Every structure is written in C-alpha cells, then in structure tokens.
Amino acid sequence: MESRFNFGLQKLLDIRIEKEEESKRTFQTAQREKIKAEERLTTLQSSYDKYNNIEKNETVITKKIKKNYLNALTITIDDAEKELENKDAHLIKCREDLKNKQIDRKTVEIIKEKKYNEFINEQNLMEQRQNDEFALYAFIRKNMERR
C-alpha cells in the first residue's frame, strides 16, 4: 500500500526555478558589464592622469596635442561615468528581479515541503493504524487459543 508523493504544483515550481535561473544569468551578465564599464573608466582615468602634467620643455604643438587629447579624454570619461551609472542602475534592477524570483520559488517550495510533511504524517498514521490492527488481531487470536 505504498504510495508516492505527488505535488500538484510541481510544474509551477519548475517554471519558477527556470525563471530564477534565467534571472541569475541576466544578473551575472549585468554584473560583468558593470565590471567592464568600471575597468574602462579606470583605464581612461589613468590615461588622463598620465598625460595631465605638461612639462616646460615641451613644444607648443605637443602641448596643444596633449590639451586636445585631455579634452577628448574628459568627454570620454564623462560618457563612461554615465554609462557606469546606467549599468549600475540596470544591475540594481536585475538584483531586485532576481530577489523577487527567488521569493516566488521559495514560496512554492515551502508549500511543497508542507504538503510533503502532511503526506509523510498521513503515511505514518496509516502505517500506525495498520500495525495497531495487526496487533489487535494477534491479541484476539492469542485469547481465542487460550480458551
């Protein structure tokens, strides 16, 4: 009389797990993009710092080229900072989405655990009743033999 546990919302749980995995992948992608943006910004800033000092013995043309390059770097750094802010906002959004998907999955898993515990308790109760019945039959048979 062994029966198996069958969770009626298993398909829903599978879908929620799949969506959570997809959200994890999106989050990891957003995280990698943010790291790349940070690295790009750091590279640009180090390049700016490298060429920022103008020495006295440089020619006017060299100074002008450096100034134009630094202006271009400044504009690029500003763009990179804006891009980093956008990537950070996207990462926060992905993190919230992942958190919500994990909550959804855990909600269904908790329901599954409760149903499984109910199932186990029911199975234990049925087994206990069956054992009690066998014990009662054995007791009755023993008493009938003594008479």
Side-chain angles (χ1 to χ4, degrees):
M1 199 170 139
E2 187 70 26
S3 61
R4 290 181 26 165
F5 175 68
N6 186 17
F7 183 56
L9 298 175
Q10 186 62 43
K11 288 183 181 179
L12 176 65
L13 180 60
D14 293 342
I15 290 170
R16 294 224 172 141
I17 289 172
E18 186 178 310
K19 286 188 177 190
E20 180 188 357
E21 292 300 320
E22 181 182 326
S23 184
K24 280 181 186 178
R25 287 189 295 274
T26 305
F27 175 73
Q28 289 172 346
T29 303
Q31 209 169 23
R32 280 192 297 268
E33 288 176 1
K34 181 186 176 209
I35 290 170
K36 285 180 185 177
E38 287 174 342
E39 290 172 354
R40 181 172 181 255
L41 181 61
T42 304
T43 304
L44 290 171
Q45 286 173 339
S46 66
S47 182
Y48 182 85
D49 292 340
K50 179 180 176 183
Y51 293 105
N52 192 20
N53 51 0
I54 298 175
E55 298 177 13
K56 294 178 183 178
N57 60 355
E58 293 178 345
T59 64
V60 175
I61 296 173
T62 308
K63 289 179 183 179
K64 189 162 185 137
I65 291 172
K66 274 190 177 182
K67 184 179 176 191
N68 288 339
Y69 179 68
L70 290 174
N71 286 338
L73 270 178
T74 303
I75 293 169
T76 308
I77 287 172
D78 290 341
D79 290 343
E81 287 174 345
K82 288 177 186 175
E83 180 184 352
L84 181 60
E85 289 174 7
N86 291 339
K87 300 284 183 187
D88 195 36
H90 180 66
L91 182 65
I92 290 170
K93 180 183 167 201
C94 289
R95 181 177 287 122
E96 287 298 317
D97 184 50
L98 177 60
K99 211 183 298 184
N100 290 335
K101 300 250 170 97
Q102 285 175 336
I103 289 171
D104 290 345
R105 175 191 51 85
K106 287 180 183 181
T107 302
V108 177
E109 280 184 347
I110 289 171
I111 293 171
K112 181 178 181 178
E113 287 175 15
K114 286 182 181 179
K115 294 287 185 182
Y116 181 73
N117 287 337
E118 288 175 9
F119 172 77
I120 293 298
N121 289 338
E122 186 178 311
Q123 291 295 316
N124 289 341
L125 185 61
M126 287 172 52
E127 184 179 340
Q128 184 62 43
R129 285 182 186 153
Q130 194 174 27
N131 288 342
D132 289 346
E133 195 173 316
F134 289 148
L136 181 62
Y137 289 145
F139 177 75
I140 291 173
R141 193 174 51 234
K142 250 185 184 177
N143 280 343
M144 292 299 256
E145 289 174 1
R146 284 185 186 168
R147 287 186 184 180

